[in-house]
């Protein structure tokens, strides 16, 4: 029996080989006790403030919105230590690992941001770290691979399947099923088997808590919409979490439409997938008619995943959140716009969210609206990808 | 009495263990796969464990992952798997046939429809690699309606309450894991703790079959001596497919020799 509800409506659960169940129960028990543990909370809070650099600012776009009545605010997770929101939750999980007396950390990564965050938290807290990464992602994110190695992590190339995040996730689970006694699997997003979606949401909810306080201070009202990109969905659930009960606030998740939904080269399981069981959870996934998992596609390695966290599938099913998709091309355009107009280079992941905010603004320039876009990471890692994309588009 | 019960009844008087080979349907091609299954049965297989290929077999090591890929390359589909199962059953009426699958394939097919279809094919048991007993209710429900034995995996370090549930719900046999991790080939002796074997035997009559890493006759003898009813061997057989699939004649001969020796090792108690 789990201590917490393992489902969000009909989504969630623990679909893993039996051998991993005790490890999941142990993690859940440690998590639940830690939430009541003053010392644990103080330690995490101290790390977030004095190591990671929280709170992150809420920045008003001064130039991007000129000539319209839209006010776009950016929640600046790109300014967090490590360069992305991933640091929030790995610090929490690393402390849980220490509490469980685990010496090793297993992680998977797509764009490398979770790998970097895992590596830095392990270096800080004296844990051994190995990171599974698809060969395709290793090629497109070499800068992050180097950062991980520099901080002492071992990066293990995954050659199976499509050589992307999906296959890295499978390999991490295989490793964990052998080494769970000494190793903690530091899952990188609000997905996978229970209790991960709940744990990751809890540790990422700091984004929403800060954003709510900051927007009330700046605008004296709640925003009209919160917009965040969706791969597994951790930055989105983190910022959504404080606004879920505020029905006036639209929650908008943006999936990658890749080369276009019609090309089938996309990573949009919520809007164009169906319910299935994959990576330890029942959720919306991209699959064939026979239930084989399909390969996803996105120019952003961090969004290149054929499934989504179960709470998003539930929020979609009850129509509390709206999920849309934007193409690689639209995301690149948003990437350039923000760089040129505000001097902020966003990660390709959150460029998807920004692209949708720009659409809302352009569709009705006269509408008075306050939008918050979660800039979940910085774009340094994507420079080469964008350069190649633009070169090929010429 | 189901086919497993009938089989164990024939083996027990001779104190023989049970040899169950595991292969992936359609590996390396549908025709060769059918020939491999025939030769396994001719060479002593007491039962069959057949895998339906899945794109993301996370309980499996490299050897079986590659077998899945070869099967996909040969154009396998779930409907072709059912056609193969139909042909195998038509030819081999008494051998117990168990399927190994992953939860999404069954969920997508429709849990009820999948079990009904398997029932029509005279499938004896279904093991779902990524379905722990805690999430198994709706699968077990239709297994029962369709008279198919659910098989659950018992890890070597399982806790008391899980052991009890596994003993209660695993009705064809209990798949006892040699060790943690994924499927593969091990050379050391891997007998799960004796207290676990005794505990299971105390609370159920369902046979205990051991799997994961079993690759040689020495291991098999030790396992059967420890009171386990039989063994499942997959990776060691599939490795032969990987090595010799370009030369079918040689492949069949290699599998025949291996199978004969593995079966012989289960007969250590005369």
């Amino acid at each position: 029996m789990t201590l917490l509800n393992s489902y969000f409506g009909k989504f969630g659960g623990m679909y893993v080989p039996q051998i991993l169940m005790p490890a999941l129960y142990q993690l859940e028990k440690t998590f639940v006790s830690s939430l009541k543990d003053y010392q644990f909370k103080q330690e995490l809070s101290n790390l977030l403030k004095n190591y990671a650099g929280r709170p992150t600012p809420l920045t008003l776009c001064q130039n991007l919105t000129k000539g319209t009545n839209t006010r776009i605010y950016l929640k600046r997770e790109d300014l967090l230590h490590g360069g992305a929101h991933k640091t929030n939750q790995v610090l929490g999980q690393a402390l849980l690992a220490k509490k469980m007396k685990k010496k090793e950390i297993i992680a998977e990564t797509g764009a490398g941001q979770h790998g970097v965050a895992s590596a830095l938290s392990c270096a800080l807290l004296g844990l051994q770290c190995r990171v599974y990464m698809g060969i395709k992602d290793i090629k497109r994110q070499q800068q992050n691979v180097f950062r991980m190695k520099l901080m002492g992590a071992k990066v293990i190339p995954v050659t199976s399947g499509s050589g992307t995040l999906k296959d890295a996730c499978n390999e991490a689970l295989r490793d964990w099923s052998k080494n769970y006694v000494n190793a903690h699997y530091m899952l990188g997003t609000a997905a996978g088997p229970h209790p991960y979606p709940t744990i990751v949401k809890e540790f990422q909810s700091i984004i929403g808590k800060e954003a709510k306080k900051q927007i009330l201070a700046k605008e004296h009202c709640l925003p009209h919409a919160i917009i965040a990109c969706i791969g597994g969905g951790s930055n989105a659930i983190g910022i959504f979490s404080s606004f879920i009960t505020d029905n006036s606030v639209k929650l908008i998740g943006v999936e990658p439409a890749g080369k276009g939904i019609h090309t089938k080269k996309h990573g949009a399981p919520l809007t164009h997938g169906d319910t299935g069981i994959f990576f330890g959870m029942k959720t919306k996934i991209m699959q064939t008619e026979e239930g084989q998992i399909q390969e996803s596609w996105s120019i952003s390695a961090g969004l290149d995943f054929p499934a989504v966290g179960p709470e998003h599938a539930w929020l979609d099913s009850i129509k509390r959140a709206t999920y849309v998709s934007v193409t690689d091309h639209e995301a690149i355009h948003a990437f350039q716009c923000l760089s040129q107009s505000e001097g902020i280079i966003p990660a390709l992941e959150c460029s998807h969210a920004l692209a949708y905010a720009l659409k809302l603004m352009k569709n009705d320039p006269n509408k008075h609206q306050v939008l918050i876009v979660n800039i979940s990471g910085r774009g340094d890692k994507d420079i080469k990808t964008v350069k190649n994309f633009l070169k090929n588009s010429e | 009495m189901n086919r497993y019960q009938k089989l164990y009844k024939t083996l027990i008087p001779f104190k023989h263990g049970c040899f169950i080979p595991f292969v992936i349907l359609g590996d390396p091609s549908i025709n060769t796969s059918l020939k491999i299954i025939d030769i396994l049965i001719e060479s002593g297989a007491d039962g069959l464990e057949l895998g339906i290929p899945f794109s993301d077999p996370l309980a499996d090591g490299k050897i079986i992952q590659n077998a899945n890929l070869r099967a996909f390359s040969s154009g396998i589909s779930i409907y072709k798997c059912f056609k193969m199962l139909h042909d195998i059953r038509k030819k081999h009426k008494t051998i117990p046939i168990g399927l190994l699958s992953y939860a999404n394939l069954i969920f997508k097919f429709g849990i009820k429809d999948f079990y009904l279809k398997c029932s029509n094919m005279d499938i004896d048991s279904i093991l779902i690699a990524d379905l722990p007993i805690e999430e198994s209710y709706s699968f077990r429900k239709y297994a029962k309606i369709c008279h198919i034995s659910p098989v659950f995996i018992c890890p070597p370090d399982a806790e008391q309450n899980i052991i009890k549930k596994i003993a209660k719900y695993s009705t064809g046999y209990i798949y006892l894991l040699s060790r943690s991790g994924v499927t593969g080939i091990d050379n050391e002796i891997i007998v799960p703790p004796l207290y676990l074997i005794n505990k299971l035997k105390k609370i159920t009559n369902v046979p205990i079959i051991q799997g994961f890493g079993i690759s040689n006759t020495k291991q098999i003898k030790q396992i059967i001596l420890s009171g386990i009813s039989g063994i499942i061997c997959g990776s060691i057989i599939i490795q032969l497919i990987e090595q010799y699939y370009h030369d079918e004649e040689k492949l069949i001969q290699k599998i025949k020799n291996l199978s004969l020796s593995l079966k012989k090792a289960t007969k250590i108690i005369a």
Side-chain angles (χ1 to χ4, degrees):
Chain A
M1 277 286 283
T2 54
L3 301 169
L4 305 167
N5 189 358
S6 60
Y7 276 86
F8 303 89
K10 65 176 184 176
F11 302 103
M14 307 164 90
Y15 294 87
V16 294
Q18 191 78 49
I19 196 131
L20 282 175
M21 293 301 281
L24 291 172
Y25 287 136
Q26 183 195 21
L27 177 60
E28 187 197 42
K29 196 177 159 190
T30 310
F31 172 65
V32 169
S33 72
S34 299
L35 290 183
K36 297 173 198 155
D37 181 348
Y38 178 75
Q39 204 183 332
F40 178 92
K41 287 199 284 190
Q42 279 297 107
E43 203 175 349
L44 179 58
S45 171
N46 177 49
L47 287 176
L48 287 172
K49 186 179 171 188
N50 297 312
Y51 179 73
R54 297 213 76 88
T56 58
L58 188 69
T59 304
L60 177 66
C61 290
Q62 303 283 355
N63 308 316
L64 194 64
T65 53
K66 263 183 193 157
T68 77
N69 287 322
T70 295
R71 289 167 76 76
I72 294 179
Y73 284 91
L74 309 176
K75 181 60 178 158
R76 301 291 305 282
E77 294 303 292
D78 58 316
L79 295 179
L80 200 66
H81 175 50
H85 73 293
K86 299 286 187 185
T87 305
N88 297 321
Q89 76 100 4
V90 295
L91 289 172
Q93 282 204 49
L95 291 179
L96 290 179
K98 294 283 274 188
K99 224 174 163 175
M100 291 186 288
K101 304 202 184 316
K102 310 270 177 170
K103 307 266 184 246
E104 301 165 14
I105 293 296
I106 301 162
E108 86 298 312
T109 197
Q113 286 307 119
H114 175 61
V116 166
S118 300
L120 68 85
S121 66
C122 288
L124 178 71
L125 296 171
L127 294 158
Q128 281 180 26
C129 182
R130 53 182 180 271
V131 183
Y132 288 91
M133 191 170 187
I135 40 162
K136 189 172 148 194
D137 291 337
I138 285 180
K139 276 181 199 152
R140 56 181 169 175
Q141 299 293 347
Q142 283 174 12
Q143 189 188 331
N144 274 341
V145 173
F146 186 68
R147 290 168 81 197
M148 283 181 255
K149 288 180 177 171
L150 207 55
M151 289 186 281
K154 187 178 174 193
V155 180
I156 304 170
V158 177
T159 52
S160 58
S162 53
T164 61
L165 181 57
K166 165 179 101 90
D167 310 291
C169 288
N170 288 342
E171 281 309 316
L173 273 177
R174 287 182 182 118
D175 183 335
W176 198 36
S177 70
K178 188 177 180 189
N179 298 301
Y180 56 89
V181 175
N182 297 314
H184 169 64
Y185 177 21
M186 194 178 264
L187 204 153
T189 189
H194 173 78
Y196 284 105
T198 302
I199 290 178
V200 175
K201 178 192 179 182
E202 172 63 29
F203 291 144
Q204 291 293 6
S205 66
I206 186 91
I207 309 173
K209 282 175 194 158
E210 283 178 12
K212 191 170 196 175
K213 207 169 149 188
Q214 289 165 327
I215 197 73
L216 287 172
K218 286 174 192 282
E219 290 283 335
H220 309 291
C221 67
L222 290 171
H224 293 91
I226 307 269
I227 306 165
C229 64
I230 307 271
S234 68
N235 87 88
I237 208 68
I239 196 165
F240 287 177
S241 61
S242 286
F243 300 91
I244 287 175
T245 52
D246 298 313
N247 288 328
S248 66
V249 181
K250 275 191 90 172
L251 307 176
I252 302 171
V254 186
E255 295 190 296
K259 294 188 174 180
I261 296 295
H262 63 283
T263 67
K264 296 195 173 173
K265 285 213 148 201
H266 63 80
L270 265 171
T271 45
H272 296 89
D274 53 0
T275 303
I277 297 167
F278 172 60
F279 191 42
M281 60 183 165
K282 188 182 283 180
T283 188
K284 296 293 277 297
I285 57 180
M286 291 169 60
Q287 56 183 316
T288 67
E289 281 184 6
E290 293 201 344
Q292 308 293 351
I293 310 303
Q294 281 184 318
E295 288 180 11
S296 55
W297 165 269
S298 171
I299 191 160
S300 164
L303 301 182
D304 192 355
F305 191 57
V308 66
E311 190 167 1
H312 287 295
W314 175 65
L315 289 172
D316 181 46
S317 72
I318 61 167
K319 301 198 187 316
R320 174 60 193 98
T322 305
Y323 296 91
V324 296
S325 58
V326 308
T327 62
D328 291 348
H329 203 274
E330 290 168 317
I332 296 274
H333 175 68
F335 180 97
Q336 291 175 291
C337 281
L338 194 68
S339 302
Q340 286 162 16
S341 65
E342 306 289 342
I344 297 169
I345 302 172
L348 269 178
E349 287 88 334
C350 47
S351 299
H352 286 73
L354 184 69
Y356 193 73
L358 296 179
K359 264 189 195 177
L360 288 179
M361 183 177 80
K362 279 178 192 159
N363 285 349
D364 196 351
N366 295 324
K367 188 179 174 182
H368 286 270
Q369 55 183 346
V370 174
L371 309 176
I372 298 179
V373 177
N374 197 14
I375 298 298
S376 57
R378 65 173 194 235
D380 311 29
K381 68 182 172 61
D382 297 318
I383 297 293
K384 200 175 156 194
T385 307
V386 175
K387 198 177 161 191
N388 287 342
F389 183 92
L390 294 173
K391 199 176 159 191
N392 293 334
S393 308
E394 277 171 7
Chain B
M1 197 184 285
N2 66 34
R3 286 189 189 84
Y4 285 113
Q5 290 161 334
K6 281 181 192 164
L7 169 68
Y8 301 132
K9 241 188 151 181
T10 62
L11 294 175
I12 289 166
F14 301 99
K15 294 183 177 171
H16 284 180
C18 169
F19 164 55
I20 303 178
F22 170 80
V23 286
I24 294 284
L25 287 166
D27 172 32
S29 67
I30 289 172
N31 282 341
T32 311
S33 182
L34 286 168
K35 285 180 193 168
I36 289 169
I37 288 163
D38 282 344
I39 201 70
L40 286 167
I41 295 170
E42 281 169 30
S43 316
D46 297 303
L48 292 173
E49 191 74 10
L50 302 173
I52 300 177
F54 182 52
S55 55
D56 294 74
L58 61 85
D60 289 305
K62 279 274 173 282
I63 294 173
I64 297 180
Q65 286 177 48
N66 288 339
N68 282 282
L69 294 179
R70 279 193 301 273
F72 285 127
S73 299
S74 78
I76 197 74
S77 69
I78 206 158
Y79 293 97
K80 286 179 184 170
C81 284
F82 280 124
K83 170 76 175 71
M84 285 179 75
L85 290 168
H86 176 265
D87 294 347
I88 297 163
R89 175 53 82 208
K90 208 170 152 188
K91 218 166 165 184
H92 307 283
K93 292 195 167 42
T94 57
I95 193 163
I97 299 177
L99 293 185
L100 185 139
S101 185
Y102 281 82
N104 196 51
L105 294 180
I106 301 177
F107 182 80
K108 181 71 178 170
F109 198 92
I111 302 174
K112 185 181 171 185
D113 291 344
F114 188 88
Y115 280 92
L116 276 172
K117 186 92 178 164
C118 288
S119 176
N120 290 338
M121 301 284 145
D122 272 346
I123 297 302
D124 298 283
S125 69
I126 295 177
L127 190 165
I128 306 164
D130 56 348
L131 188 78
I133 206 131
E134 289 89 338
E135 298 285 0
S136 65
Y137 174 74
S138 44
F139 294 82
R140 275 189 282 121
K141 187 174 83 180
Y142 289 110
K144 195 173 178 183
I145 291 168
C146 298
H147 304 289
I148 290 172
S149 303
V151 169
F152 289 98
I153 286 178
C154 183
D157 57 355
E159 288 176 2
Q160 291 291 336
N161 63 331
I162 292 296
I163 295 172
K164 280 184 190 163
K165 281 184 188 170
I166 288 167
K168 187 175 173 187
Y169 296 126
S170 200
T171 60
Y173 61 90
I174 291 167
Y175 193 123
L176 186 59
L177 280 195
S178 305
R179 50 153 174 75
S180 59
V182 295
T183 55
I185 294 173
D186 296 339
N187 287 317
E188 70 270 33
I189 306 292
I190 32 175
V191 179
L194 205 62
Y195 78 84
L196 177 60
I197 299 167
N198 291 337
K199 172 86 191 167
L200 282 167
K201 283 187 163 180
K202 229 179 231 179
I203 53 177
T204 178
N205 291 324
V206 172
I208 305 162
I209 309 289
Q210 189 178 326
F212 273 40
I214 302 168
S215 66
N216 62 55
T217 54
K218 202 173 161 192
Q219 288 172 320
I220 295 173
K221 283 178 185 170
Q222 202 68 39
I223 289 165
I224 302 298
L225 269 175
S226 71
I228 288 168
S229 309
I231 48 106
I232 294 181
C233 281
S235 296
I236 191 70
I237 299 166
I238 293 170
Q239 195 180 48
L240 288 179
I241 302 177
E242 190 167 82
Q243 283 170 346
Y244 296 105
Y245 74 95
H246 292 301
D247 185 344
E248 192 184 283
E249 204 178 316
K250 203 169 182 181
L251 170 63
I252 296 295
Q253 190 58 46
K254 290 272 178 192
I255 288 180
K256 184 182 176 182
N257 294 344
L258 176 68
S259 186
L260 285 168
S261 74
L262 296 177
K263 175 58 203 168
K264 197 178 166 194
T266 67
K267 296 179 181 174
I268 50 158
I269 309 167

